[in-house]
């Protein structure tokens, strides 16, 4: 049975926005992926608050966003855990369930800089290829970091060529709290859900 090339984009997605979706789409195209899993975290070890937004609301926003793209798929694999979420555990579980697949973990430059501090970072780089996105095309430090990690861990890390979209979830939360428009920054269906549920007010 031929394995598939599966992209993984994890995060709190609080809320999910067009910047996330563009990165997923660019990774899908550039690396010939079969699909991209949008995977909300349950309780990331590095975040102590989720601004009072429930797990159910974060999940539903991701589910809505994923439904608008045939090669995006919502994944609740991390939500099913009761304990703190670690990337290495997710990759171990996926590899055990579908050993024939090839996994590509999509992350940003900020996360790449701290990758070595993640739990079992060497095992992560063994289990998955990594696609790294940079917010600034002129920033060449990402190439140096990729080269360093590839050499040190015999990893397979690649740079993602993507447009610069300066969007962050924290910025959007602040905009929504102030009642400012987030149109064109968040998918329309997700924005409708936020307004309907009066999230971030």
């Amino acid at each position: 049975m031929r394995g598939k090339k599966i992209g993984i984009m994890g995060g709190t997605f609080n809320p999910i926005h067009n910047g996330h979706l563009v990165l997923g789409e660019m990774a899908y195209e550039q690396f010939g992926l079969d699909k991209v899993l949008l995977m909300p975290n349950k309780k990331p070890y590095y975040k102590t608050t989720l601004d009072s937004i429930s797990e159910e609301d974060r999940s539903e926003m991701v589910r809505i966003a994923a439904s608008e793209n045939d090669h995006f798929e919502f994944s609740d694999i991390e939500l099913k855990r009761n304990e703190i979420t670690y990337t290495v555990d997710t990759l171990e579980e996926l590899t055990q369930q579908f050993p024939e697949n090839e996994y590509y973990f999509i992350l940003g430059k900020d996360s790449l800089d701290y990758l070595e501090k993640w739990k079992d970072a060497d095992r992560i780089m063994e289990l998955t290829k990594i696609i790294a996105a940079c917010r600034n095309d002129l920033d060449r430090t990402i190439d140096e970091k990729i080269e360093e990690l590839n050499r040190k861990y015999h990893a397979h890390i690649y740079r993602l060529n993507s447009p610069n979209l300066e969007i962050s979830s924290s910025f959007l939360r602040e905009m929504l709290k102030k009642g400012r428009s987030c149109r064109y920054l968040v998918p329309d269906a997700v924005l409708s859900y936020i307004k309907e549920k009066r999230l971030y007010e």
Side-chain angles (χ1 to χ4, degrees):
M1 179 179 175
R2 187 185 76 85
K4 294 182 177 180
K5 297 170 71 173
I6 308 297
I8 300 171
M9 180 175 285
T12 52
F13 297 123
N14 187 28
I16 192 166
H17 55 69
N18 289 342
H20 295 130
L21 302 178
V22 166
L23 289 185
E25 183 70 12
M26 294 298 99
Y28 172 83
E29 290 288 342
Q30 187 176 330
F31 292 89
L33 305 180
D34 290 290
K35 66 179 174 181
V36 176
L37 301 179
L38 300 181
M39 190 180 292
N41 304 139
K42 186 174 184 68
K43 186 181 177 184
Y45 73 91
Y46 54 88
K47 293 191 178 181
T48 57
T49 179
L50 289 174
D51 283 4
S52 302
I53 301 302
S54 71
E55 176 184 307
E56 290 74 23
D57 283 327
R58 289 190 298 116
S59 301
E60 189 58 27
M61 288 188 283
V62 175
R63 197 187 303 272
I64 290 168
S67 70
E68 297 183 344
N69 188 321
D70 289 341
H71 45 262
F72 285 174
E73 183 178 307
F74 169 79
S75 171
D76 62 357
I77 186 172
E78 295 197 342
L79 299 175
K80 291 177 180 177
R81 297 197 196 112
N82 292 319
E83 68 275 9
I84 288 175
T85 300
Y86 291 105
T87 298
V88 67
D89 297 330
T90 300
L91 291 170
E92 292 280 15
E93 186 174 340
L94 286 171
T95 302
Q96 199 169 45
Q97 288 179 355
F98 308 102
E100 71 278 6
N101 288 343
E102 192 173 24
Y103 294 100
Y104 291 74
F105 195 83
I106 305 162
L107 48 67
K109 169 64 162 49
D110 293 346
S111 295
L112 184 70
D113 285 338
Y114 287 95
L115 182 59
E116 289 180 282
K117 297 181 180 179
W118 291 15
K119 180 187 177 186
D120 297 332
D122 53 343
R123 180 61 175 158
I124 289 173
M125 287 181 266
E126 182 182 337
L127 289 168
T128 183
K129 294 177 170 62
I130 293 173
I131 300 173
C134 187
R135 288 189 178 185
N136 184 351
D137 282 342
L138 300 178
D139 182 1
R140 295 300 169 216
T141 61
I142 188 172
D143 298 318
E144 297 168 7
K145 190 65 179 180
I146 288 172
E147 184 180 347
E148 173 194 335
L149 293 173
N150 281 341
R151 182 176 62 250
K152 186 174 179 180
Y153 294 94
H154 304 288
H156 299 278
I157 305 174
Y158 308 96
R159 178 174 180 158
L160 177 64
N161 299 319
S162 63
N164 299 329
L165 292 179
E166 292 291 341
I167 308 173
S168 72
S169 293
S170 59
F171 168 75
L172 292 173
R173 290 195 299 271
E174 193 61 31
M175 292 278 284
L176 290 163
K177 283 176 186 175
K178 293 177 179 177
R180 303 278 298 278
S181 172
C182 289
R183 194 175 183 187
Y184 306 121
L185 300 175
V186 178
D188 288 344
V190 173
L191 200 52
S192 294
Y193 180 86
I194 290 171
K195 290 179 178 179
E196 178 189 340
K197 295 287 187 175
R198 301 180 65 125
L199 304 180
Y200 307 108
E201 290 185 2

